[in-house]
Amino acid sequence: MQAAEVTKSPRKSANLSIDSALLQEAKALGINVSRSAEAGIAEAVKLHKQEKWLKENARALASSNAYVEANSLPLERHRQF
């Protein structure tokens, strides 16, 4: 999920516990902590969804891979690479 997609939704306040030294350093560097946290959470959601999809589809992927291994790719003879 890209940051541009995240900002289209309405924003909601949330309380987060963040390492105080890290927060102080981020503020000193002019980092928008809310946006950075949001980007990190968006990345974590994306990775979680990917892992979940792979687990849910593991049997289908294994079956497809086994078919290709046993029978090669359909239309492989037409490949030019």
Side-chain angles (χ1 to χ4, degrees), residues 32-74:
N32 183 324
V33 177
S34 293
R35 296 288 177 166
S36 296
E38 187 174 3
I41 293 167
E43 183 65 20
V45 167
K46 175 184 163 185
L47 292 174
H48 181 79
K49 285 181 175 181
Q50 287 174 344
E51 290 175 11
K52 183 180 176 190
W53 187 92
L54 285 171
K55 285 179 185 177
E56 290 174 350
N57 293 283
R59 286 182 50 201
L61 292 169
S63 174
S64 178
N65 290 337
Y67 175 86
V68 170
E69 191 173 316
N71 302 296
S72 74
L73 289 171

Side-chain angles (χ1 to χ4, degrees), residues 2-53:
Q2 296 176 351
E5 293 177 25
V6 174
T7 58
K8 292 180 183 177
S9 299
R11 306 190 81 64
K12 180 172 172 68
S13 295
N15 292 326
L16 300 173
S17 296
I18 300 174
D19 180 281
S20 60
L22 181 62
L23 181 60
Q24 186 177 18
E25 188 174 5
K27 286 184 177 185
L29 293 169
I31 295 172
N32 183 324
V33 177
S34 293
R35 296 288 177 166
S36 296
E38 187 174 3
I41 293 167
E43 183 65 20
V45 167
K46 175 184 163 185
L47 292 174
H48 181 79
K49 285 181 175 181
Q50 287 174 344
E51 290 175 11
K52 183 180 176 190
W53 187 92

